[in-house]
Amino acid sequence: MYEEKEGLPAVTRKFYEQSEKMLVATDCIIFGFDAGSLKLLLFKRRVSPLEGQWSLIGSFVKLDEDVSAAAERVLEEITDLKEVYMEELKVYGAVDRDPGYRCISVGQYALIRLNEYDKELVKEHGAVWHDVNDLPPLVLDHEQMVADALEKLKNKARYQPLGFELLPEKFTIPQLQSVYEAIFQRELDTRNFRKKVFSHNVLVKLDEKDKSTSKRGAFLYKFDHQRYSDLIKGGSDFGVF
């Protein structure tokens, strides 16, 4: 439980007590991948103002928790997932950003695997996946948050293997290429993509095949975290084109 600091001089306590107050929130831009498309998890706002309109999923930060912990709490409450890829985006602090009260928000974007989250829990919270290319109007400055998150995702995916955070543990090369095409919103040359990905030596080919799309099937692979660590130590990065 958060407690005010003991032993502060009276003039210091008065300074804090008389200072204007504002709320701090965190809003989570939660991305997933399904059927060749990048998805965003949204729900309809349950409080006024703007009740019933589409919104990112967020919460006010509690006095006794870090901002990052608040974002992790929000994600777990909605999806039952822990220890997923999550990164702070930026602070949104326009004076008039929230008509309810003076509030700043720290945007956090997360990448989750759609085969791992608790679908019933998401449904209970009224959350729905939307294609990032077909989003409804969003409340407050949430559309700007999504645009910023997509841009940051694109920039980081150019040199870090973020695409694997959206795929099941076992995947095919076509599935991997489809993820990166969804992130970058353009088609990639299959031959060049395969050549570039295999050149990093971070994939482990399995004896299993995925036969969901053809009788012949496609070999499954796993991402090797140790090999990736060695790649980074060697001064290289994970580029896909």
Side-chain angles (χ1 to χ4, degrees), residues 2 8 68 76 80 138 188 202:
Y2 176 82
L8 289 176
S68 59
E76 184 178 357
D80 198 35
L138 303 180
L188 301 176
V202 296

Side-chain angles (χ1 to χ4, degrees), residues 113 160-165 167-171 173 176 180 197-206 220-233 237-238:
R113 298 180 174 93
Q160 291 186 12
L162 297 189
F164 297 100
E165 304 292 345
L167 287 172
E169 182 181 5
K170 300 176 183 179
F171 53 86
I173 300 303
L176 181 61
Y180 279 95
V197 168
F198 284 126
S199 71
H200 299 306
N201 193 33
V202 296
L203 300 184
V204 178
K205 187 177 182 180
L206 306 177
L220 292 167
Y221 290 80
K222 292 178 67 175
F223 179 71
D224 191 315
H225 293 275
Q226 183 56 54
R227 290 184 187 177
Y228 175 66
S229 178
D230 294 340
L231 179 72
I232 298 303
K233 290 178 182 177
D237 56 32
F238 184 85

